Amino acid sequence: MRHRLILVVALLSSLSVGSLSADDLPNIVYVLCDDLGYGDVQCLNPEHGKIKTPCADRLAAVGMIFTDAHSGSSVCTPTRYGLLTGRYSWRTKLQRGVVTGFAPCLIAESRPTVASFLREHGYQTAIIGKWHLNFQYCDPQTGKPYHAKQFKSPPVGSKIPDGPVARGFDYFHGFHHARDMQTVIENDRVIAHDPPINMLPRLTTKSVEYIDAHAQDAKPFFLYVALGSPHTPILPTADWQGKSGLGDYADFVMQTDNTLGEISQALARNGLTDNTLVIFTSDNGCSKAADIAQLAEQGHLVSGNLRGSKADIWEGGHRVPFIVRWPKKVPPGSTSNQLICHVDLFATVAEIVAHPIAAGSGEDSVSFLPVLSGEPINSTRAGVIHHSISGHFAYRQGPWKLALARASGGWTSPTEKEVDNNAPKAQLYHMVEDVGETSNRFLTEPDIAARLLAQLREDIRRGRSTAGPTSSNDTSKIILWKSGQK
């Protein structure tokens, strides 16, 4: 039989599946853009979005826009860890920054992932694109790990013992991270060296091929499309150069949007559109490499009306595009302002397949399936925790956001080193009245700040932010205040 398909393009997936039988489970395709700002999708930024994104706009016109969706971090690796494990990455040894490959996988071998969970419940699983969670490259003859200083690119034939196919995925085609994009990997082996400009077309082709090949399968599939664009290197192909009239970054955004269109066409060609859940999102905000100031001079604001961008604790760092389409479930042209996070994918797919997450996994994940049928999220989580590139924390509960940083906590000026010495030690914003984070109420609302700080401490202490038995963090070195405050 032909299975229903859910397409998730860069944030999380949310369905109402109460009537689905075990033989009629949806396929799941999760497409995650890389460094696509909230304001880079034109329909989310109608006044100051100058880059044409017709495929994402069409998706929104027939689906649902989430206006308060967040990545698990304002940079790449932590977000991807949380997306696949349902657990915040700062619970691991990675307390700031990102990983660089040539090292053991950040996801412990014993930890369930969305992929391993779905495979256990009858799904085929695949990732096409960027991994960025570390793995080792090994000599195929001796099995000994190579070191980054040995090669400009790992040799063709290098074996990967702890990559995606060792963490629940049946199939992998892609690369590790942007600085090693020329190294093409399939399953557990380096298969080629290819100029980075060819990667986005490669991922587009492979995604379409996967849908075509599995559309008629008896088993449902989970396809995680982790695009490496519009992250650096910013390399639109010849067909897309100059299309935007705004520069290379805008051209690359348009080409990325076209990949969504190619995937959508593959779904339509295979008769899957009417009962397909499509989610389009990003791993964090837009990077400074896009030349944000130059784009602003041309009228385009990469974060829309949000403050900051990639790496920051401000909203532009971690509030991300999140557009959902599922014609039989989601009202067209609808909007949700419910608070969700990338870590919620695990609980959402668990509700889809009607099986609970095993104890000791998915500790921070809450299902947002009810949202698609217009119902509120039934959350046991008090709030959502944000994290910046430098490890600065923020806590969001209802309309309030407490940031344990004196400034951006990231790359946007003023940085923590640039901020005035007399600035308050933290920031408190009302995200309904002041989504642009212009009025710091930390000193005037001390009771609210204290309540949020206490909840953040408790969520860290318990090793989980949802209801359930106390879990363990992987490290005891979680530093709450990064700017010297106590």
Side-chain angles (χ1 to χ4, degrees), residues 403-430:
L404 305 187
R406 302 171 70 226
S408 70
W411 295 340
T412 297
S413 186
T415 65
E416 297 304 299
K417 292 181 178 179
E418 296 170 341
V419 70
D420 189 291
N421 289 332
N422 295 320
K425 68 177 184 178
Q427 300 166 73
L428 180 69
Y429 298 107
H430 193 288

Side-chain angles (χ1 to χ4, degrees), residues 324-379:
V324 178
R325 184 197 70 190
W326 194 17
K328 291 189 176 180
K329 298 291 181 180
V330 177
S334 55
T335 300
S336 172
N337 63 0
Q338 294 196 56
L339 178 66
I340 64 172
C341 181
H342 276 305
V343 296
D344 294 335
L345 177 62
F346 206 149
T348 301
V349 301
E351 188 169 356
I352 290 170
V353 301
H355 283 275
I357 298 173
S361 60
E363 294 94 334
D364 299 304
S365 190
V366 171
S367 174
F368 57 86
L369 261 178
V371 180
L372 294 192
S373 54
E375 300 296 326
I377 295 172
N378 181 23
S379 178

Side-chain angles (χ1 to χ4, degrees), residues 39-40 42 45-51 295-296 299-302 304-305:
D40 287 333
Q42 197 164 45
N45 187 19
E47 184 176 356
H48 297 293
K50 304 303 180 182
I51 303 174
L295 287 167
H300 178 75
L301 302 182
V302 299
N305 61 347

